[in-house]
Amino acid sequence: MSTISQPMTKGERTRARILVAAERVFAELGFHDASIVKITEAAGVGQGTFYLYFASKIEVFDEVVEDLNRRVRHAMIEASSQAGTRIEAERAGFRAFFEFTAEHPALYRIVRQAEFVSPGALRLHYTRIVEGYRDGLAKAQAAGEVGDIDPEVAAWALMGIGEIVGMRWVLWGPDVAPGGPTSAVPPEVFDQAMTFIERALAPGRTEEEGRS
Amino acid sequence: MSTISQPMTKGERTRARILVAAERVFAELGFHDASIVKITEAAGVGQGTFYLYFASKIEVFDEVVEDLNRRVRHAMIEASSQAGTRIEAERAGFRAFFEFTAEHPALYRIVRQAEFVSPGALRLHYTRIVEGYRDGLAKAQAAGEVGDIDPEVAAWALMGIGEIVGMRWVLWGPDVAPGGPTSAVPPEVFDQAMTFIERALAPGRTEEEGRS
Amino acid sequence: MSTISQPMTKGERTRARILVAAERVFAELGFHDASIVKITEAAGVGQGTFYLYFASKIEVFDEVVEDLNRRVRHAMIEASSQAGTRIEAERAGFRAFFEFTAEHPALYRIVRQAEFVSPGALRLHYTRIVEGYRDGLAKAQAAGEVGDIDPEVAAWALMGIGEIVGMRWVLWGPDVAPGGPTSAVPPEVFDQAMTFIERALAPGRTEEEGRS
Amino acid sequence: MSTISQPMTKGERTRARILVAAERVFAELGFHDASIVKITEAAGVGQGTFYLYFASKIEVFDEVVEDLNRRVRHAMIEASSQAGTRIEAERAGFRAFFEFTAEHPALYRIVRQAEFVSPGALRLHYTRIVEGYRDGLAKAQAAGEVGDIDPEVAAWALMGIGEIVGMRWVLWGPDVAPGGPTSAVPPEVFDQAMTFIERALAPGRTEEEGRS
DNA sequence: AATGAATGAGAGTTCATTCAT
DNA sequence: TATGAATGAACTCTCATTCAT
């Protein structure tokens, strides 16, 4: 995920192990049912050790959210940067988002807890992703590839679509109960969702469309 | 909100008071920090009284979610049913949704907790609202008022847009910290969001668009 | 069990129903898990009604113990009074005791709770039964049918044998877990227990026996 | 009491203190009125500490019963093993039983609660003691020192006699109210009880006695 | 005579956090 | 650096009892 060049000290390794365990336990049990004992047991360290690296339970939570946010954005940028056209980039970004969700259902399960656990963390998480969309849209708009629409609002709309489609088809699966196995968004759903987005963003004929 | 004409019995009134208090406390503190003591104090009844009407904390939670769901759908249907055209109906429905959100921020704050609290409740909540969108879209599509798109996917997309725009502009307000005062979606944001949606759903030019 | 001659008033009937229900519920659940609600539900009356007839939960308990005590003594006296010889009377009395236990396992389960629930009730219960044994033994001793032994001590010994054999073979059954079905003491066990008692009480040759 | 030679760790000492306190509190108040708070206060530890060593209130109870059982059997075996003749051994065993009872009234008060608290614990307790009696009787019988009687039934009879005499004269004392001070069984009562038992078990004259 | 809604003290249990080792 | 025993406040839930109807 990152380009580890320097060797980790012993302490850093312990810290990293706790962080990984915390993500796993938070994802499985949610914030409140994830006790420090469970996290430290999963990490294979003592309870006291936890407090050598994190000031509180909330602090790990924040860091886990931060971490997930960094990783999902990285995945999206990585994917879309290799695309040729704007539309291809958009599809690649969404596909990366859904894939990340499928591989890390923690993204949802953890992030959606944030509202009450760590005020502001949720907003920060969404805002950062939205900024990526917005900047891309603004640039594309300047190039005439996107219709006349406020990039900020459009970006949030994309965020909402990604979030809900990810929840509906990745997290819940085709017919699966919540918590069950997750898989990627079915191709036809992905296509339909992208069609929806493309039409919303397509340039031209703005005047007529507004009237319909 | 409801059309109950018969007078409530004493027990029903107590139950209703607890339910109202629970919604308030859940919205303010979240599921886990909303203790039974806080709920019963807010309702002005004894702790034991709570258990005369609800079997557990989770049970009230489910009922609060159920209740909010019923009310927001009612508000949306009410609003859109008085509109003339499909587009007007759509705008009215969304406006009602945002207004409800502004008046009952509990909708977000409570519902988003549901994932870990009451598995299935969250899915049920979204699914019910989406069914309304989907049926409306399918009907409009049959009348040629909506482009060629899977109503199911489009309905979930609308749900996502409503949710995230509501969260961003209603719950968080223009520049306000989470938990702060809420107001309606600013008119220009509302217009932009509706433009986004209208373009996505507009009929015509399906063949070319589909190729992208 | 008793010779009801006068018709009961409505109140008396209600009271009796509560008492019967209480015995059943106490026997099944024990004193502490037998709630007033469960008793009143079993009796088919309201909770408040209970307190019209009994001052407290402990009071019904005492009365239930009292009632059981009266009935078991009645059964034993009834049975032994129809016997010809002393030994036959003894066997008949024990048999009645075991039969009562088998039909009313409540006797054990309730009485053994008494120690902490209602101090003195347990002692009173045992003492009353023992008095019956003791008087019988004293009388038989005067007639030369019982050896030279303190009737008080011997009576308590009989009580202990009856209690433990009843628990072992009636309450627990041949191989059954506690709480399971109960039946009478197996004939061979009954015979052995009676043999044990007969030898202990048999008159004559006191001097030699003591030396063995 | 035990032959542990290795020093206890800190944790073991805490555990032992809780166990001792639990025995005391259970004996004084009974299972239900013995709250965790009372036990931990008596032990001088925090409430949470209790759950580091015992999974539940019932678990300590079981262990206390187990512990008492082990100790009383140890005392009885110890005492009777030093006796010369069978009869002396019997007397020594019973005497040890009564002495233990006098010093640890908890034996009764706790064990008799077991029926509803921990099904099976009561049966196990009695069964273990009875097994000791039974094996002793069987051996003596083989040596011709005990009459022709089923050792199992006879052993349970002894158990019953010990239990009830202990309760009557040790727990309740000569004229004392339950819960009051306890002392040993008066010598004349002890002698009479032993006489009762000796006659019941004495060999010889089996044929005539059996006819009764 | 009868009800059952209401109460609140108290139960068992959990867990984030501290700190002596 | 690492530990895990210890803590106590806070939690959800129960139930004997009261009292207005």
Short mmCIF file of all heavy atoms in Angstrom, two decimals, chain C residues 30 32 109 112-113 115-116 123 126 148-150 156 164 168 172 176 192 199-200 205-206 209 212, chain D residues 30 32 87 109 112-113 115-116 123 126 148-150 156 164 168 172 176 192 196 199 202 205-206 209:
data_model
loop_
_atom_site.label_atom_id
_atom_site.label_comp_id
_atom_site.label_asym_id
_atom_site.label_seq_id
_atom_site.Cartn_x
_atom_site.Cartn_y
_atom_site.Cartn_z
N GLY C 30 -38.67 -21.95 42.33
CA GLY C 30 -37.99 -21.54 43.54
C GLY C 30 -38.51 -20.18 44.00
O GLY C 30 -39.17 -19.48 43.24
N HIS C 32 -37.08 -17.24 44.66
CA HIS C 32 -36.62 -15.97 44.11
C HIS C 32 -37.04 -15.75 42.66
O HIS C 32 -37.32 -14.63 42.27
CB HIS C 32 -35.11 -15.85 44.27
CG HIS C 32 -34.71 -15.47 45.65
ND1 HIS C 32 -34.32 -16.40 46.60
CD2 HIS C 32 -34.71 -14.27 46.28
CE1 HIS C 32 -34.08 -15.77 47.73
NE2 HIS C 32 -34.29 -14.48 47.57
N ARG C 109 -38.65 -29.00 47.20
CA ARG C 109 -38.12 -27.83 46.53
C ARG C 109 -38.50 -26.55 47.26
O ARG C 109 -37.72 -25.60 47.30
CB ARG C 109 -38.59 -27.80 45.08
CG ARG C 109 -38.21 -29.08 44.32
CD ARG C 109 -38.78 -29.08 42.92
NE ARG C 109 -38.12 -28.11 42.07
CZ ARG C 109 -36.95 -28.29 41.48
NH1 ARG C 109 -36.31 -29.42 41.65
NH2 ARG C 109 -36.41 -27.36 40.75
N ARG C 112 -36.91 -26.61 51.26
CA ARG C 112 -35.48 -26.43 51.40
C ARG C 112 -35.03 -25.00 51.11
O ARG C 112 -33.90 -24.64 51.38
CB ARG C 112 -34.73 -27.43 50.51
CG ARG C 112 -34.89 -28.86 51.02
CD ARG C 112 -34.19 -29.83 50.12
NE ARG C 112 -32.76 -29.76 50.27
CZ ARG C 112 -32.03 -30.52 51.09
NH1 ARG C 112 -32.63 -31.43 51.82
NH2 ARG C 112 -30.74 -30.38 51.16
N GLN C 113 -35.92 -24.23 50.53
CA GLN C 113 -35.60 -22.82 50.32
C GLN C 113 -35.81 -22.02 51.59
O GLN C 113 -35.30 -20.92 51.74
CB GLN C 113 -36.54 -22.24 49.26
CG GLN C 113 -36.40 -22.84 47.92
CD GLN C 113 -35.84 -21.82 46.98
OE1 GLN C 113 -36.40 -20.76 46.81
NE2 GLN C 113 -34.71 -22.13 46.39
N GLU C 115 -34.94 -21.89 54.59
CA GLU C 115 -33.89 -21.43 55.50
C GLU C 115 -33.58 -19.94 55.39
O GLU C 115 -33.54 -19.23 56.38
CB GLU C 115 -32.61 -22.23 55.27
CG GLU C 115 -31.39 -21.64 55.97
CD GLU C 115 -30.83 -22.58 57.01
OE1 GLU C 115 -30.78 -23.77 56.74
OE2 GLU C 115 -30.47 -22.11 58.11
N PHE C 116 -33.36 -19.48 54.17
CA PHE C 116 -32.99 -18.08 54.01
C PHE C 116 -34.19 -17.18 53.76
O PHE C 116 -34.12 -15.99 53.94
CB PHE C 116 -32.00 -17.92 52.86
CG PHE C 116 -30.63 -18.39 53.23
CD1 PHE C 116 -30.22 -19.68 52.96
CD2 PHE C 116 -29.76 -17.54 53.90
CE1 PHE C 116 -28.96 -20.11 53.32
CE2 PHE C 116 -28.49 -17.97 54.27
CZ PHE C 116 -28.09 -19.27 53.98
N ARG C 123 -37.47 -24.91 60.45
CA ARG C 123 -37.40 -25.60 61.75
C ARG C 123 -38.77 -26.05 62.19
O ARG C 123 -38.97 -27.18 62.65
CB ARG C 123 -36.80 -24.64 62.79
CG ARG C 123 -36.59 -25.31 64.11
CD ARG C 123 -35.80 -24.46 65.07
NE ARG C 123 -35.53 -25.19 66.30
CZ ARG C 123 -34.75 -24.75 67.27
NH1 ARG C 123 -34.14 -23.59 67.14
NH2 ARG C 123 -34.56 -25.47 68.36
N TYR C 126 -39.92 -29.14 60.09
CA TYR C 126 -39.32 -30.40 60.51
C TYR C 126 -39.81 -30.80 61.90
O TYR C 126 -40.14 -31.96 62.16
CB TYR C 126 -37.79 -30.28 60.53
CG TYR C 126 -37.16 -30.36 59.16
CD1 TYR C 126 -36.18 -29.45 58.78
CD2 TYR C 126 -37.53 -31.35 58.25
CE1 TYR C 126 -35.58 -29.53 57.53
CE2 TYR C 126 -36.93 -31.43 57.00
CZ TYR C 126 -35.96 -30.52 56.64
OH TYR C 126 -35.37 -30.60 55.42
N ASP C 148 -34.36 -49.52 73.55
CA ASP C 148 -34.03 -48.46 74.50
C ASP C 148 -33.24 -47.35 73.81
O ASP C 148 -32.03 -47.42 73.68
CB ASP C 148 -33.21 -49.08 75.65
CG ASP C 148 -32.77 -48.00 76.62
OD1 ASP C 148 -33.52 -47.01 76.77
OD2 ASP C 148 -31.67 -48.16 77.19
N ILE C 149 -33.94 -46.37 73.36
CA ILE C 149 -33.29 -45.25 72.66
C ILE C 149 -34.11 -43.99 72.89
O ILE C 149 -35.33 -44.05 73.07
CB ILE C 149 -33.16 -45.55 71.15
CG1 ILE C 149 -32.09 -44.66 70.53
CG2 ILE C 149 -34.49 -45.40 70.43
CD1 ILE C 149 -31.48 -45.24 69.29
N ASP C 150 -33.41 -42.84 72.87
CA ASP C 150 -34.12 -41.57 73.08
C ASP C 150 -35.06 -41.31 71.91
O ASP C 150 -34.63 -41.15 70.77
CB ASP C 150 -33.09 -40.44 73.19
CG ASP C 150 -33.75 -39.08 73.40
OD1 ASP C 150 -35.01 -39.02 73.42
OD2 ASP C 150 -33.02 -38.08 73.54
N TRP C 156 -35.66 -37.74 64.97
CA TRP C 156 -34.92 -36.91 64.02
C TRP C 156 -34.16 -37.77 63.01
O TRP C 156 -34.05 -37.44 61.84
CB TRP C 156 -33.96 -35.96 64.76
CG TRP C 156 -34.68 -34.74 65.30
CD1 TRP C 156 -35.13 -34.56 66.56
CD2 TRP C 156 -35.04 -33.56 64.55
NE1 TRP C 156 -35.77 -33.34 66.69
CE2 TRP C 156 -35.72 -32.71 65.46
CE3 TRP C 156 -34.89 -33.15 63.24
CZ2 TRP C 156 -36.22 -31.46 65.08
CZ3 TRP C 156 -35.39 -31.90 62.86
CH2 TRP C 156 -36.05 -31.07 63.78
N ILE C 164 -33.73 -37.77 53.07
CA ILE C 164 -32.66 -38.01 52.09
C ILE C 164 -33.05 -39.10 51.10
O ILE C 164 -32.73 -39.01 49.91
CB ILE C 164 -31.34 -38.34 52.81
CG1 ILE C 164 -30.14 -37.91 51.95
CG2 ILE C 164 -31.20 -39.83 53.08
CD1 ILE C 164 -29.69 -36.54 52.20
N ARG C 168 -33.21 -38.58 47.21
CA ARG C 168 -32.40 -39.40 46.31
C ARG C 168 -33.23 -40.19 45.31
O ARG C 168 -32.94 -40.21 44.12
CB ARG C 168 -31.52 -40.34 47.15
CG ARG C 168 -30.79 -41.43 46.39
CD ARG C 168 -29.81 -40.86 45.38
NE ARG C 168 -29.24 -41.92 44.54
CZ ARG C 168 -29.84 -42.42 43.48
NH1 ARG C 168 -31.02 -41.97 43.12
NH2 ARG C 168 -29.25 -43.35 42.76
N TRP C 172 -34.83 -37.25 42.56
CA TRP C 172 -33.84 -37.42 41.49
C TRP C 172 -34.16 -38.61 40.61
O TRP C 172 -33.66 -38.70 39.50
CB TRP C 172 -32.43 -37.58 42.10
CG TRP C 172 -31.97 -36.37 42.82
CD1 TRP C 172 -32.47 -35.12 42.71
CD2 TRP C 172 -30.90 -36.28 43.76
NE1 TRP C 172 -31.80 -34.25 43.53
CE2 TRP C 172 -30.82 -34.93 44.18
CE3 TRP C 172 -29.99 -37.20 44.29
CZ2 TRP C 172 -29.87 -34.49 45.10
CZ3 TRP C 172 -29.04 -36.74 45.22
CH2 TRP C 172 -28.99 -35.40 45.61
N VAL C 176 -32.26 -39.99 36.90
CA VAL C 176 -32.76 -38.79 36.24
C VAL C 176 -32.12 -37.54 36.82
O VAL C 176 -31.82 -37.47 38.01
CB VAL C 176 -34.29 -38.73 36.38
CG1 VAL C 176 -34.81 -37.43 35.82
CG2 VAL C 176 -34.91 -39.92 35.66
N GLN C 192 -35.19 -51.97 51.86
CA GLN C 192 -33.89 -51.85 52.52
C GLN C 192 -33.91 -50.73 53.55
O GLN C 192 -33.39 -50.87 54.65
CB GLN C 192 -32.79 -51.60 51.48
CG GLN C 192 -32.48 -52.82 50.63
CD GLN C 192 -31.82 -53.91 51.45
OE1 GLN C 192 -30.82 -53.68 52.11
NE2 GLN C 192 -32.41 -55.10 51.44
N ARG C 199 -34.23 -52.47 62.24
CA ARG C 199 -33.11 -52.95 63.06
C ARG C 199 -32.70 -51.92 64.08
O ARG C 199 -32.38 -52.25 65.22
CB ARG C 199 -31.91 -53.28 62.16
CG ARG C 199 -32.15 -54.53 61.34
CD ARG C 199 -30.92 -54.89 60.54
NE ARG C 199 -31.21 -55.99 59.62
CZ ARG C 199 -30.45 -56.29 58.58
NH1 ARG C 199 -29.37 -55.58 58.32
NH2 ARG C 199 -30.79 -57.30 57.80
N ALA C 200 -32.70 -50.66 63.66
CA ALA C 200 -32.27 -49.61 64.58
C ALA C 200 -33.22 -49.50 65.77
O ALA C 200 -32.81 -49.19 66.89
CB ALA C 200 -32.19 -48.28 63.85
N ARG C 205 -31.89 -57.41 73.31
CA ARG C 205 -30.47 -57.64 73.11
C ARG C 205 -29.67 -56.35 72.97
O ARG C 205 -28.68 -56.28 72.26
CB ARG C 205 -30.24 -58.52 71.88
CG ARG C 205 -30.64 -59.98 72.19
CD ARG C 205 -30.11 -60.87 71.11
NE ARG C 205 -30.22 -60.17 69.85
CZ ARG C 205 -29.45 -60.43 68.81
NH1 ARG C 205 -28.54 -61.37 68.87
NH2 ARG C 205 -29.61 -59.78 67.71
N THR C 206 -30.15 -55.35 73.65
CA THR C 206 -29.50 -54.04 73.58
C THR C 206 -28.04 -54.12 73.99
O THR C 206 -27.18 -53.49 73.41
CB THR C 206 -30.21 -53.05 74.51
OG1 THR C 206 -31.60 -53.22 74.34
CG2 THR C 206 -29.80 -51.63 74.16
N GLU C 209 -25.66 -55.78 71.33
CA GLU C 209 -25.55 -54.97 70.13
C GLU C 209 -24.59 -53.80 70.32
O GLU C 209 -23.78 -53.49 69.46
CB GLU C 209 -26.92 -54.39 69.76
CG GLU C 209 -27.93 -55.44 69.40
CD GLU C 209 -28.14 -55.52 67.92
OE1 GLU C 209 -27.58 -54.69 67.18
OE2 GLU C 209 -28.84 -56.42 67.49
N SER C 212 -20.83 -54.66 69.70
CA SER C 212 -20.32 -55.19 68.43
C SER C 212 -19.22 -54.33 67.81
O SER C 212 -19.34 -53.14 67.74
CB SER C 212 -21.44 -55.34 67.43
OG SER C 212 -22.06 -54.09 67.15
N GLY D 30 -27.18 -16.13 52.28
CA GLY D 30 -27.79 -16.97 51.25
C GLY D 30 -27.38 -16.50 49.88
O GLY D 30 -26.84 -15.40 49.72
N HIS D 32 -29.03 -15.55 47.15
CA HIS D 32 -29.66 -14.42 46.46
C HIS D 32 -29.36 -13.07 47.08
O HIS D 32 -29.23 -12.08 46.38
CB HIS D 32 -31.17 -14.66 46.34
CG HIS D 32 -31.50 -15.57 45.23
ND1 HIS D 32 -31.72 -16.93 45.41
CD2 HIS D 32 -31.58 -15.37 43.89
CE1 HIS D 32 -31.95 -17.49 44.24
NE2 HIS D 32 -31.88 -16.58 43.30
N ILE D 87 -16.30 -49.58 64.23
CA ILE D 87 -17.21 -48.70 64.97
C ILE D 87 -16.53 -47.42 65.39
O ILE D 87 -17.09 -46.34 65.30
CB ILE D 87 -17.76 -49.46 66.19
CG1 ILE D 87 -18.75 -50.51 65.69
CG2 ILE D 87 -18.44 -48.50 67.15
CD1 ILE D 87 -19.43 -51.26 66.79
N ARG D 109 -25.91 -24.14 55.26
CA ARG D 109 -26.62 -22.96 54.76
C ARG D 109 -26.35 -22.77 53.28
O ARG D 109 -27.22 -22.32 52.54
CB ARG D 109 -26.22 -21.73 55.57
CG ARG D 109 -26.51 -21.95 57.07
CD ARG D 109 -26.03 -20.77 57.90
NE ARG D 109 -26.83 -19.58 57.65
CZ ARG D 109 -28.00 -19.34 58.20
NH1 ARG D 109 -28.53 -20.21 59.05
NH2 ARG D 109 -28.64 -18.24 57.94
N ARG D 112 -27.63 -26.26 51.01
CA ARG D 112 -29.07 -26.45 50.84
C ARG D 112 -29.68 -25.44 49.89
O ARG D 112 -30.84 -25.55 49.50
CB ARG D 112 -29.76 -26.42 52.19
CG ARG D 112 -29.38 -27.64 53.05
CD ARG D 112 -29.99 -27.56 54.42
NE ARG D 112 -31.43 -27.78 54.38
CZ ARG D 112 -32.02 -28.95 54.54
NH1 ARG D 112 -31.28 -30.02 54.76
NH2 ARG D 112 -33.32 -29.06 54.48
N GLN D 113 -28.93 -24.41 49.54
CA GLN D 113 -29.41 -23.46 48.55
C GLN D 113 -29.23 -24.00 47.14
O GLN D 113 -29.84 -23.54 46.19
CB GLN D 113 -28.57 -22.17 48.63
CG GLN D 113 -28.71 -21.43 49.90
CD GLN D 113 -29.48 -20.18 49.67
OE1 GLN D 113 -29.11 -19.39 48.83
NE2 GLN D 113 -30.57 -20.02 50.38
N GLU D 115 -29.93 -26.44 45.35
CA GLU D 115 -30.95 -27.03 44.49
C GLU D 115 -31.44 -26.11 43.38
O GLU D 115 -31.51 -26.48 42.22
CB GLU D 115 -32.15 -27.46 45.34
CG GLU D 115 -33.38 -27.80 44.52
CD GLU D 115 -33.77 -29.26 44.65
OE1 GLU D 115 -33.70 -29.79 45.75
OE2 GLU D 115 -34.15 -29.87 43.63
N PHE D 116 -31.76 -24.86 43.74
CA PHE D 116 -32.28 -23.96 42.72
C PHE D 116 -31.20 -23.14 42.06
O PHE D 116 -31.38 -22.58 41.00
CB PHE D 116 -33.31 -23.01 43.35
CG PHE D 116 -34.63 -23.67 43.55
CD1 PHE D 116 -34.92 -24.30 44.75
CD2 PHE D 116 -35.56 -23.71 42.53
CE1 PHE D 116 -36.13 -24.93 44.92
CE2 PHE D 116 -36.76 -24.34 42.71
CZ PHE D 116 -37.06 -24.96 43.91
N ARG D 123 -26.66 -32.58 44.25
CA ARG D 123 -26.60 -34.03 44.08
C ARG D 123 -25.15 -34.51 44.13
O ARG D 123 -24.82 -35.50 44.77
CB ARG D 123 -27.22 -34.39 42.72
CG ARG D 123 -27.28 -35.87 42.50
CD ARG D 123 -28.13 -36.23 41.30
NE ARG D 123 -28.25 -37.67 41.21
CZ ARG D 123 -29.05 -38.29 40.34
NH1 ARG D 123 -29.80 -37.60 39.53
NH2 ARG D 123 -29.10 -39.60 40.33
N TYR D 126 -23.84 -34.45 47.80
CA TYR D 126 -24.29 -35.59 48.60
C TYR D 126 -23.69 -36.89 48.10
O TYR D 126 -23.25 -37.74 48.86
CB TYR D 126 -25.82 -35.69 48.57
CG TYR D 126 -26.52 -34.69 49.45
CD1 TYR D 126 -27.59 -33.93 48.99
CD2 TYR D 126 -26.12 -34.51 50.78
CE1 TYR D 126 -28.24 -33.03 49.81
CE2 TYR D 126 -26.76 -33.59 51.60
CZ TYR D 126 -27.82 -32.86 51.11
OH TYR D 126 -28.45 -31.96 51.92
N ASP D 148 -26.62 -57.75 56.77
CA ASP D 148 -26.98 -57.91 55.37
C ASP D 148 -27.92 -56.79 54.93
O ASP D 148 -29.14 -56.86 55.11
CB ASP D 148 -27.65 -59.28 55.21
CG ASP D 148 -28.12 -59.49 53.80
OD1 ASP D 148 -27.48 -58.95 52.87
OD2 ASP D 148 -29.16 -60.15 53.63
N ILE D 149 -27.34 -55.75 54.35
CA ILE D 149 -28.15 -54.61 53.90
C ILE D 149 -27.46 -53.99 52.70
O ILE D 149 -26.23 -54.03 52.56
CB ILE D 149 -28.32 -53.60 55.04
CG1 ILE D 149 -29.52 -52.71 54.72
CG2 ILE D 149 -27.05 -52.77 55.26
CD1 ILE D 149 -30.15 -52.09 55.93
N ASP D 150 -28.26 -53.41 51.82
CA ASP D 150 -27.68 -52.76 50.63
C ASP D 150 -26.84 -51.56 51.07
O ASP D 150 -27.37 -50.60 51.62
CB ASP D 150 -28.82 -52.31 49.71
CG ASP D 150 -28.30 -51.64 48.45
OD1 ASP D 150 -27.07 -51.48 48.33
OD2 ASP D 150 -29.12 -51.27 47.60
N TRP D 156 -26.97 -43.82 52.16
CA TRP D 156 -27.84 -42.63 52.08
C TRP D 156 -28.55 -42.39 53.40
O TRP D 156 -28.75 -41.25 53.82
CB TRP D 156 -28.84 -42.78 50.93
CG TRP D 156 -28.22 -42.47 49.60
CD1 TRP D 156 -27.72 -43.35 48.70
CD2 TRP D 156 -28.00 -41.16 49.04
NE1 TRP D 156 -27.20 -42.69 47.61
CE2 TRP D 156 -27.36 -41.33 47.78
CE3 TRP D 156 -28.27 -39.87 49.47
CZ2 TRP D 156 -26.99 -40.28 46.96
CZ3 TRP D 156 -27.92 -38.80 48.65
CH2 TRP D 156 -27.28 -39.00 47.41
N ILE D 164 -29.51 -34.34 59.22
CA ILE D 164 -30.59 -33.79 60.04
C ILE D 164 -30.14 -33.57 61.48
O ILE D 164 -30.54 -32.60 62.11
CB ILE D 164 -31.84 -34.69 59.96
CG1 ILE D 164 -33.11 -33.85 60.17
CG2 ILE D 164 -31.82 -35.79 60.99
CD1 ILE D 164 -33.67 -33.32 58.90
N ARG D 168 -30.25 -30.09 63.31
CA ARG D 168 -31.03 -29.91 64.54
C ARG D 168 -30.16 -29.46 65.71
O ARG D 168 -30.51 -28.52 66.42
CB ARG D 168 -31.75 -31.21 64.87
CG ARG D 168 -32.42 -31.28 66.22
CD ARG D 168 -33.50 -30.22 66.39
NE ARG D 168 -34.01 -30.21 67.77
CZ ARG D 168 -33.42 -29.58 68.77
NH1 ARG D 168 -32.31 -28.91 68.56
NH2 ARG D 168 -33.96 -29.60 69.98
N TRP D 172 -29.03 -25.40 64.84
CA TRP D 172 -30.06 -24.72 65.63
C TRP D 172 -29.68 -24.65 67.10
O TRP D 172 -30.25 -23.86 67.84
CB TRP D 172 -31.40 -25.45 65.46
CG TRP D 172 -31.92 -25.38 64.06
CD1 TRP D 172 -31.52 -24.50 63.09
CD2 TRP D 172 -32.91 -26.19 63.45
NE1 TRP D 172 -32.21 -24.73 61.92
CE2 TRP D 172 -33.08 -25.77 62.12
CE3 TRP D 172 -33.71 -27.25 63.92
CZ2 TRP D 172 -33.99 -26.35 61.25
CZ3 TRP D 172 -34.62 -27.84 63.04
CH2 TRP D 172 -34.76 -27.39 61.72
N VAL D 176 -31.66 -22.54 70.48
CA VAL D 176 -31.32 -21.27 69.87
C VAL D 176 -32.05 -21.07 68.55
O VAL D 176 -32.31 -22.01 67.82
CB VAL D 176 -29.80 -21.19 69.66
CG1 VAL D 176 -29.41 -19.92 68.93
CG2 VAL D 176 -29.10 -21.25 71.00
N GLN D 192 -26.66 -41.39 71.34
CA GLN D 192 -27.93 -41.98 70.93
C GLN D 192 -27.98 -42.17 69.41
O GLN D 192 -28.42 -43.21 68.92
CB GLN D 192 -29.10 -41.10 71.39
CG GLN D 192 -29.33 -41.13 72.88
CD GLN D 192 -29.85 -42.50 73.32
OE1 GLN D 192 -30.83 -43.01 72.79
NE2 GLN D 192 -29.15 -43.12 74.28
N PHE D 196 -28.26 -45.69 67.45
CA PHE D 196 -29.26 -45.93 66.40
C PHE D 196 -28.58 -46.54 65.18
O PHE D 196 -29.02 -47.56 64.63
CB PHE D 196 -29.91 -44.59 66.04
CG PHE D 196 -31.03 -44.67 65.04
CD1 PHE D 196 -32.36 -44.72 65.46
CD2 PHE D 196 -30.77 -44.70 63.68
CE1 PHE D 196 -33.39 -44.79 64.53
CE2 PHE D 196 -31.79 -44.78 62.75
CZ PHE D 196 -33.11 -44.82 63.18
N ARG D 199 -27.04 -50.18 65.76
CA ARG D 199 -28.05 -51.24 65.74
C ARG D 199 -28.51 -51.52 64.32
O ARG D 199 -28.73 -52.66 63.92
CB ARG D 199 -29.26 -50.83 66.58
CG ARG D 199 -28.94 -50.84 68.06
CD ARG D 199 -30.18 -50.54 68.88
NE ARG D 199 -29.82 -50.39 70.30
CZ ARG D 199 -30.60 -49.78 71.19
NH1 ARG D 199 -31.77 -49.27 70.81
NH2 ARG D 199 -30.22 -49.69 72.44
N ALA D 202 -25.62 -53.47 62.68
CA ALA D 202 -25.02 -54.64 63.34
C ALA D 202 -25.31 -55.93 62.59
O ALA D 202 -26.41 -56.13 62.07
CB ALA D 202 -25.56 -54.74 64.77
N ARG D 205 -28.59 -62.10 63.30
CA ARG D 205 -30.04 -62.12 63.42
C ARG D 205 -30.76 -61.55 62.20
O ARG D 205 -31.86 -61.05 62.28
CB ARG D 205 -30.46 -61.36 64.68
CG ARG D 205 -30.12 -62.16 65.96
CD ARG D 205 -30.89 -61.56 67.09
NE ARG D 205 -30.88 -60.11 66.96
CZ ARG D 205 -31.80 -59.29 67.45
NH1 ARG D 205 -32.79 -59.80 68.17
NH2 ARG D 205 -31.74 -58.02 67.27
N THR D 206 -30.07 -61.62 61.08
CA THR D 206 -30.63 -61.05 59.86
C THR D 206 -31.94 -61.70 59.47
O THR D 206 -32.89 -61.06 59.03
CB THR D 206 -29.65 -61.22 58.68
OG1 THR D 206 -28.35 -60.92 59.17
CG2 THR D 206 -30.02 -60.33 57.54
N GLU D 209 -35.09 -60.67 61.65
CA GLU D 209 -35.40 -59.25 61.45
C GLU D 209 -36.02 -58.98 60.08
O GLU D 209 -36.94 -58.20 59.93
CB GLU D 209 -34.12 -58.42 61.56
CG GLU D 209 -33.46 -58.53 62.90
CD GLU D 209 -33.68 -57.28 63.71
OE1 GLU D 209 -34.27 -56.32 63.18
OE2 GLU D 209 -33.28 -57.25 64.85
#
